[in-house]
Amino acid sequence: MKKLIKVSLALFTALSVNTAANAQDFKFGPKFGYNSAKLEGKSWEDFHDNNSLNGYHLGLFAEVRFNKFAIQPEVYYSSEGGKWNVNFENTTIEHDFNLKYINVPLMFKYYLTNGIAIEAGPQAGFLTESKMKFADLYPESPKFNEFDFSVNVGLSINLPLDFMISARYNAGLTNVIEQPDVDWKNRVMQLSLGYRF
């Protein structure tokens, strides 16, 4: 896992440096914020509709701007997951799946005005920790996938004093667990605050 994190940081740095040379404007900085995360899925006991977990994210971004268009690579730590309910002998049992990822998105931005941009792009996620193990529920059960591929869409606003806020929705495309007859995917709403150097 340490290798994956190092590779992610290296890709983030290389992309930022290589594209910055031809950019009209280059900014970088830290970002952090709130996650409302849940898991959506079918089979092997479905998730109920309201299964969100509160979480957070913390990391770095770089924005390479070409007039109205911009590229924004990022790397950040994110707490995700969801709540899972199962009915057993007239009792509802609830489990929290707390999943921690190192996420590496590449956002493509279009500026509607000088400071407001819509954004979209792919994201690679690398699982670093899972508090709940399936073996706690079922012996010889499947494992969480260590890789998660997803797509982001959102809106960002550049504020005075070089601050930035953004709202983003992340939709996972890969199964969270290694089980062919189960389809569980990450869904995350993010609110972020960043500072642009």
Side-chain angles (χ1 to χ4, degrees):
M1 188 52 62
K2 288 183 180 178
K3 270 190 175 180
L4 288 176
I5 294 171
K6 287 180 181 177
V7 168
S8 301
L9 289 172
L11 288 173
F12 170 78
T13 303
L15 183 59
S16 300
V17 171
N18 289 337
T19 54
N22 299 316
Q24 293 179 338
D25 190 26
F26 175 72
K27 298 287 185 180
F28 69 96
K31 62 174 286 187
F32 68 94
Y34 167 75
N35 286 353
S36 177
K38 69 177 185 176
L39 292 169
E40 285 186 354
K42 298 177 181 177
S43 301
W44 202 37
E45 306 297 344
D46 295 348
F47 284 92
H48 59 96
D49 291 335
N50 184 22
N51 76 91
S52 298
L53 287 177
N54 295 321
Y56 65 94
H57 59 276
L58 174 66
L60 300 170
F61 73 93
E63 184 190 62
V64 185
R65 185 169 175 178
F66 309 88
N67 197 5
K68 285 187 172 293
F69 294 94
I71 300 172
Q72 184 168 300
E74 303 177 6
V75 58
Y76 65 90
Y77 180 81
S78 182
S79 62
E80 303 174 15
K83 295 179 183 292
W84 182 69
N85 279 359
V86 60
N87 293 315
F88 180 73
E89 295 182 354
N90 298 322
T91 302
T92 300
I93 302 171
E94 185 175 273
H95 295 281
D96 288 354
F97 290 96
N98 295 295
L99 307 177
K100 314 294 185 186
Y101 290 91
I102 296 292
N103 289 329
V104 186
L106 178 60
M107 304 301 294
F108 298 92
K109 303 174 71 171
Y110 178 77
Y111 275 88
L112 302 172
T113 69
N114 191 45
I116 301 176
I118 54 175
E119 57 184 29
Q123 174 176 287
F126 305 96
L127 184 68
T128 61
E129 183 183 356
S130 57
K131 290 286 179 72
M132 171 63 74
K133 295 180 171 33
F134 285 109
D136 297 337
L137 306 177
Y138 298 106
E140 300 179 1
S141 53
K143 297 179 180 179
F144 286 103
N145 279 322
E146 293 187 357
F147 179 76
D148 182 60
F149 182 76
S150 56
V151 172
N152 292 304
V153 293
L155 177 74
S156 66
I157 303 174
N158 296 335
L159 301 175
L161 303 176
D162 291 318
F163 285 99
M164 174 189 72
I165 58 171
S166 65
R168 185 179 295 175
Y169 178 71
N170 173 263
L173 301 179
T174 54
N175 203 338
V176 172
I177 65 168
E178 297 175 355
Q179 182 79 358
D181 58 341
V182 179
D183 182 25
W184 292 359
K185 292 181 173 65
N186 281 309
R187 299 287 185 262
V188 186
M189 282 292 301
Q190 293 184 329
L191 295 175
S192 304
L193 176 66
Y195 185 80
R196 306 165 75 239
F197 288 101

Short mmCIF file of all heavy atoms in Angstrom, two decimals, residues 141-168:
data_model
loop_
_atom_site.label_atom_id
_atom_site.label_comp_id
_atom_site.label_asym_id
_atom_site.label_seq_id
_atom_site.Cartn_x
_atom_site.Cartn_y
_atom_site.Cartn_z
N SER A 141 -15.84 -15.10 4.29
CA SER A 141 -16.55 -14.16 3.43
C SER A 141 -15.57 -13.41 2.52
O SER A 141 -14.36 -13.46 2.73
CB SER A 141 -17.33 -13.17 4.30
OG SER A 141 -16.47 -12.58 5.24
N PRO A 142 -16.07 -12.70 1.51
CA PRO A 142 -15.18 -12.01 0.57
C PRO A 142 -14.48 -10.82 1.21
O PRO A 142 -14.84 -10.36 2.29
CB PRO A 142 -16.12 -11.55 -0.54
CG PRO A 142 -17.45 -11.46 0.12
CD PRO A 142 -17.48 -12.55 1.14
N LYS A 143 -13.48 -10.30 0.50
CA LYS A 143 -12.70 -9.17 0.98
C LYS A 143 -13.11 -7.90 0.24
O LYS A 143 -13.70 -7.94 -0.83
CB LYS A 143 -11.21 -9.42 0.75
CG LYS A 143 -10.66 -10.61 1.50
CD LYS A 143 -9.18 -10.79 1.18
CE LYS A 143 -8.61 -11.99 1.91
NZ LYS A 143 -7.18 -12.20 1.60
N PHE A 144 -12.77 -6.76 0.84
CA PHE A 144 -12.95 -5.50 0.15
C PHE A 144 -11.92 -5.38 -0.98
O PHE A 144 -10.77 -5.77 -0.81
CB PHE A 144 -12.76 -4.32 1.11
CG PHE A 144 -13.90 -4.11 2.06
CD1 PHE A 144 -13.80 -4.51 3.38
CD2 PHE A 144 -15.08 -3.53 1.63
CE1 PHE A 144 -14.85 -4.32 4.26
CE2 PHE A 144 -16.14 -3.33 2.50
CZ PHE A 144 -16.02 -3.73 3.82
N ASN A 145 -12.35 -4.82 -2.11
CA ASN A 145 -11.42 -4.55 -3.19
C ASN A 145 -10.46 -3.43 -2.79
O ASN A 145 -10.89 -2.43 -2.20
CB ASN A 145 -12.17 -4.14 -4.47
CG ASN A 145 -12.72 -5.34 -5.23
OD1 ASN A 145 -12.06 -6.37 -5.29
ND2 ASN A 145 -13.91 -5.21 -5.77
N GLU A 146 -9.21 -3.58 -3.12
CA GLU A 146 -8.21 -2.57 -2.78
C GLU A 146 -8.19 -1.40 -3.77
O GLU A 146 -7.57 -0.38 -3.50
CB GLU A 146 -6.82 -3.20 -2.70
CG GLU A 146 -6.68 -4.17 -1.54
CD GLU A 146 -5.26 -4.66 -1.35
OE1 GLU A 146 -4.39 -4.28 -2.17
OE2 GLU A 146 -5.02 -5.41 -0.40
N PHE A 147 -8.89 -1.54 -4.91
CA PHE A 147 -8.91 -0.48 -5.91
C PHE A 147 -10.35 -0.09 -6.20
O PHE A 147 -11.24 -0.95 -6.31
CB PHE A 147 -8.24 -0.94 -7.21
CG PHE A 147 -8.25 0.10 -8.29
CD1 PHE A 147 -7.38 1.19 -8.24
CD2 PHE A 147 -9.14 0.00 -9.35
CE1 PHE A 147 -7.40 2.15 -9.24
CE2 PHE A 147 -9.16 0.96 -10.35
CZ PHE A 147 -8.28 2.04 -10.29
N ASP A 148 -10.60 1.21 -6.31
CA ASP A 148 -11.94 1.72 -6.61
C ASP A 148 -11.83 2.78 -7.70
O ASP A 148 -11.14 3.79 -7.53
CB ASP A 148 -12.57 2.31 -5.35
CG ASP A 148 -13.99 2.80 -5.60
OD1 ASP A 148 -14.83 1.97 -6.00
OD2 ASP A 148 -14.25 4.00 -5.41
N PHE A 149 -12.51 2.54 -8.83
CA PHE A 149 -12.53 3.53 -9.91
C PHE A 149 -13.88 4.23 -9.90
O PHE A 149 -14.92 3.59 -9.78
CB PHE A 149 -12.30 2.86 -11.27
CG PHE A 149 -12.26 3.83 -12.41
CD1 PHE A 149 -11.14 4.63 -12.63
CD2 PHE A 149 -13.36 3.98 -13.25
CE1 PHE A 149 -11.11 5.53 -13.68
CE2 PHE A 149 -13.34 4.88 -14.30
CZ PHE A 149 -12.20 5.66 -14.51
N SER A 150 -13.85 5.56 -10.04
CA SER A 150 -15.09 6.33 -9.95
C SER A 150 -15.02 7.56 -10.85
O SER A 150 -13.98 7.87 -11.43
CB SER A 150 -15.36 6.73 -8.51
OG SER A 150 -14.26 7.44 -7.98
N VAL A 151 -16.16 8.26 -10.91
CA VAL A 151 -16.27 9.49 -11.70
C VAL A 151 -16.80 10.60 -10.80
O VAL A 151 -17.71 10.38 -9.99
CB VAL A 151 -17.22 9.29 -12.90
CG1 VAL A 151 -17.48 10.61 -13.61
CG2 VAL A 151 -16.63 8.28 -13.88
N ASN A 152 -16.22 11.80 -10.94
CA ASN A 152 -16.63 12.97 -10.17
C ASN A 152 -17.30 14.00 -11.07
O ASN A 152 -16.89 14.20 -12.22
CB ASN A 152 -15.41 13.66 -9.54
CG ASN A 152 -14.77 12.83 -8.46
OD1 ASN A 152 -15.42 12.43 -7.50
ND2 ASN A 152 -13.49 12.58 -8.59
N VAL A 153 -18.30 14.68 -10.53
CA VAL A 153 -18.86 15.88 -11.16
C VAL A 153 -19.06 16.91 -10.05
O VAL A 153 -19.34 16.55 -8.90
CB VAL A 153 -20.20 15.62 -11.88
CG1 VAL A 153 -20.00 14.73 -13.09
CG2 VAL A 153 -21.23 15.01 -10.94
N GLY A 154 -18.89 18.21 -10.40
CA GLY A 154 -19.04 19.19 -9.35
C GLY A 154 -18.97 20.62 -9.82
O GLY A 154 -18.97 20.91 -11.03
N LEU A 155 -18.89 21.52 -8.86
CA LEU A 155 -18.83 22.96 -9.08
C LEU A 155 -17.83 23.55 -8.11
O LEU A 155 -17.80 23.18 -6.93
CB LEU A 155 -20.21 23.58 -8.83
CG LEU A 155 -20.33 25.10 -8.95
CD1 LEU A 155 -20.29 25.51 -10.42
CD2 LEU A 155 -21.62 25.59 -8.30
N SER A 156 -16.98 24.47 -8.60
CA SER A 156 -16.01 25.13 -7.73
C SER A 156 -16.10 26.64 -7.91
O SER A 156 -16.43 27.13 -9.00
CB SER A 156 -14.59 24.65 -8.01
OG SER A 156 -14.18 25.04 -9.31
N ILE A 157 -15.81 27.37 -6.82
CA ILE A 157 -15.86 28.83 -6.83
C ILE A 157 -14.58 29.36 -6.20
O ILE A 157 -14.23 29.00 -5.07
CB ILE A 157 -17.07 29.36 -6.04
CG1 ILE A 157 -18.37 28.78 -6.62
CG2 ILE A 157 -17.11 30.89 -6.06
CD1 ILE A 157 -19.61 29.13 -5.81
N ASN A 158 -13.87 30.20 -6.94
CA ASN A 158 -12.69 30.87 -6.41
C ASN A 158 -13.12 32.11 -5.64
O ASN A 158 -13.83 32.97 -6.17
CB ASN A 158 -11.74 31.27 -7.55
CG ASN A 158 -11.18 30.06 -8.29
OD1 ASN A 158 -11.10 28.97 -7.73
ND2 ASN A 158 -10.81 30.25 -9.54
N LEU A 159 -12.68 32.19 -4.39
CA LEU A 159 -13.07 33.27 -3.49
C LEU A 159 -11.95 34.30 -3.35
O LEU A 159 -10.81 34.03 -3.75
CB LEU A 159 -13.41 32.68 -2.11
CG LEU A 159 -14.53 31.65 -2.06
CD1 LEU A 159 -14.65 31.08 -0.65
CD2 LEU A 159 -15.85 32.26 -2.51
N PRO A 160 -12.25 35.46 -2.77
CA PRO A 160 -11.18 36.41 -2.46
C PRO A 160 -10.15 35.80 -1.51
O PRO A 160 -10.42 34.80 -0.83
CB PRO A 160 -11.93 37.57 -1.79
CG PRO A 160 -13.33 37.46 -2.29
CD PRO A 160 -13.58 35.99 -2.47
N LEU A 161 -8.98 36.41 -1.45
CA LEU A 161 -7.88 35.98 -0.58
C LEU A 161 -7.38 34.58 -0.94
O LEU A 161 -6.84 33.86 -0.09
CB LEU A 161 -8.29 36.03 0.90
CG LEU A 161 -8.78 37.40 1.40
CD1 LEU A 161 -9.25 37.30 2.84
CD2 LEU A 161 -7.68 38.45 1.26
N ASP A 162 -7.58 34.16 -2.20
CA ASP A 162 -7.06 32.90 -2.73
C ASP A 162 -7.70 31.64 -2.14
O ASP A 162 -7.14 30.54 -2.25
CB ASP A 162 -5.53 32.82 -2.56
CG ASP A 162 -4.81 33.81 -3.46
OD1 ASP A 162 -5.23 33.94 -4.63
OD2 ASP A 162 -3.86 34.46 -3.00
N PHE A 163 -8.86 31.77 -1.52
CA PHE A 163 -9.59 30.59 -1.06
C PHE A 163 -10.46 30.04 -2.18
O PHE A 163 -10.79 30.74 -3.15
CB PHE A 163 -10.45 30.93 0.16
CG PHE A 163 -9.67 31.09 1.43
CD1 PHE A 163 -9.34 32.35 1.90
CD2 PHE A 163 -9.26 29.98 2.15
CE1 PHE A 163 -8.60 32.51 3.06
CE2 PHE A 163 -8.53 30.12 3.32
CZ PHE A 163 -8.19 31.39 3.77
N MET A 164 -10.84 28.77 -2.05
CA MET A 164 -11.68 28.10 -3.03
C MET A 164 -12.64 27.18 -2.29
O MET A 164 -12.26 26.52 -1.32
CB MET A 164 -10.83 27.27 -3.99
CG MET A 164 -11.64 26.43 -4.97
SD MET A 164 -10.60 25.26 -5.92
CE MET A 164 -10.20 24.06 -4.63
N ILE A 165 -13.89 27.15 -2.73
CA ILE A 165 -14.84 26.18 -2.20
C ILE A 165 -15.35 25.33 -3.37
O ILE A 165 -15.39 25.79 -4.52
CB ILE A 165 -16.04 26.83 -1.47
CG1 ILE A 165 -16.79 27.79 -2.40
CG2 ILE A 165 -15.58 27.54 -0.21
CD1 ILE A 165 -18.09 28.31 -1.81
N SER A 166 -15.72 24.10 -3.08
CA SER A 166 -16.24 23.23 -4.13
C SER A 166 -17.24 22.24 -3.55
O SER A 166 -17.17 21.86 -2.38
CB SER A 166 -15.10 22.49 -4.85
OG SER A 166 -14.46 21.60 -3.98
N ALA A 167 -18.18 21.84 -4.40
CA ALA A 167 -19.13 20.78 -4.08
C ALA A 167 -19.00 19.74 -5.18
O ALA A 167 -18.97 20.07 -6.36
CB ALA A 167 -20.55 21.33 -4.02
N ARG A 168 -18.95 18.47 -4.77
CA ARG A 168 -18.65 17.42 -5.74
C ARG A 168 -19.41 16.14 -5.38
O ARG A 168 -19.59 15.81 -4.21
CB ARG A 168 -17.14 17.14 -5.73
CG ARG A 168 -16.65 16.15 -6.76
CD ARG A 168 -15.15 15.97 -6.66
NE ARG A 168 -14.42 17.19 -6.99
CZ ARG A 168 -13.10 17.31 -6.88
NH1 ARG A 168 -12.37 16.30 -6.43
NH2 ARG A 168 -12.52 18.44 -7.21
#
